[in-house]
Amino acid sequence: MTFTPQQVVDAWQNMQPWVEGQLSGLATQANLPDDEQKNAGDIGVCQTLDRGGRGSLRWSSDGDASYTLSSQKITALSKVTIKAATTVDESTAHLPFKFARLEVNGRYSCDQPCAVWDLGKKVTTGHAGGQGTVIQAIDDNTLSYVVKTGDDITLDSVVIGGTVRVSLTPDSGGMPPWIASLVSFMTPGSQLEAFRSKLQNAFQRGSFTTTMLTLLEHEIRG
């Protein structure tokens, strides 16, 4: 049997009970790979040690920071609502659904070597940073499966829209001054797009997506 994009589009709406009732539960707890940067450069946390230092004495970085995101899992995919599928060309269809919140929880750690310099001489050394929990989330947006048709239905890619928000909670409690510097390091476009790419890969490679494609084929075959 040869599948066409229009067949996939028509079958997608019949997948509504599964997409809205089961996909969320299957997707949550999917893992994302760790993100480890051993040579992250100056992430700006040493300056928070100054606290109004004396004269020309100021804290600055004394080597590359190390930065890790680990134990990352999809923990929420809420209020999933199927949207109408569309054909793109003679072999491609987009299968979208809306969500209220897509959330990934994990652990972060960062460490930046720091030093105080006086007239070119290093007079004090230290470290800035810490560890705790990290939440990265997208609210009120859309995920779209891009599928190819032919002798079978294959997943070409996954596209997730929306803005990624980052929240950090230190194990030490409170909000130490270096937290703002770390959030600033994590939220430039390149960092957030790297996270989005890993999130899209988690959906593309997840066993729940294989189940979805199998069900879609069965729906078309009748």
Side-chain angles (χ1 to χ4, degrees):
M1 179 178 182
T2 299
F3 298 97
T4 68
Q6 189 58 53
Q7 286 177 313
V8 172
V9 166
D10 294 340
W12 179 243
Q13 198 60 42
N14 294 332
M15 292 281 291
Q16 182 174 2
W18 186 86
V19 171
E20 296 183 358
Q22 298 188 46
L23 178 59
S24 176
L26 296 172
T28 53
Q29 303 307 314
N31 295 313
L32 275 67
D34 292 350
D35 179 8
E36 184 176 8
Q37 300 181 37
K38 293 184 178 180
N39 300 294
D42 182 1
I43 63 177
V45 296
C46 291
Q47 290 82 345
T48 65
L49 299 176
D50 270 334
R51 300 186 178 130
R54 305 188 316 274
S56 62
L57 300 181
R58 290 291 183 269
W59 285 94
S60 61
S61 65
D62 190 32
D64 287 334
S66 60
Y67 160 81
T68 303
L69 295 180
S70 61
S71 304
Q72 298 181 94
K73 290 187 176 185
I74 298 173
T75 54
L77 178 60
S78 65
K79 296 183 180 179
V80 171
T81 305
I82 200 168
K83 295 180 65 178
T86 57
T87 59
V88 178
D89 54 38
E90 61 185 10
S91 64
T92 310
H94 286 187
L95 312 179
F97 64 81
K98 292 178 63 177
F99 57 84
R101 185 173 181 85
L102 175 54
E103 180 178 293
V104 173
N105 285 14
R107 298 280 304 169
Y108 75 86
S109 66
C110 76
D111 179 75
Q112 175 87 58
C114 306
V116 172
W117 301 80
D118 184 18
L119 300 177
K121 181 180 179 181
K122 188 187 301 184
V123 295
T124 304
T125 61
H127 288 262
Q131 60 186 19
T133 58
V134 54
I135 297 174
Q136 299 177 89
I138 300 172
D139 292 325
D140 298 320
N141 225 279
T142 301
L143 181 149
S144 185
Y145 288 108
V146 181
V147 298
K148 294 290 187 179
T149 60
D151 293 337
D152 52 15
I153 301 171
T154 59
L155 182 62
D156 182 67
S157 62
V158 172
V159 179
I160 300 174
T163 301
V164 181
R165 295 185 297 102
V166 178
S167 174
L168 304 177
T169 303
D171 287 346
S172 59
M175 292 300 289
W178 52 264
I179 281 288
S181 297
L182 181 56
V183 171
S184 295
F185 170 77
M186 293 178 63
T187 51
S190 58
Q191 293 281 3
L192 295 183
E193 287 310 306
F195 167 74
R196 189 192 307 276
S197 178
K198 290 183 179 182
L199 187 55
Q200 290 172 165
N201 285 340
F203 274 88
Q204 186 164 356
R205 298 172 181 173
S207 60
F208 52 91
T209 296
T210 302
T211 299
M212 183 270 291
L213 293 174
T214 300
L215 293 173
L216 196 61
E217 287 194 10
H218 287 170
E219 188 68 38
I220 294 172
R221 295 178 187 276

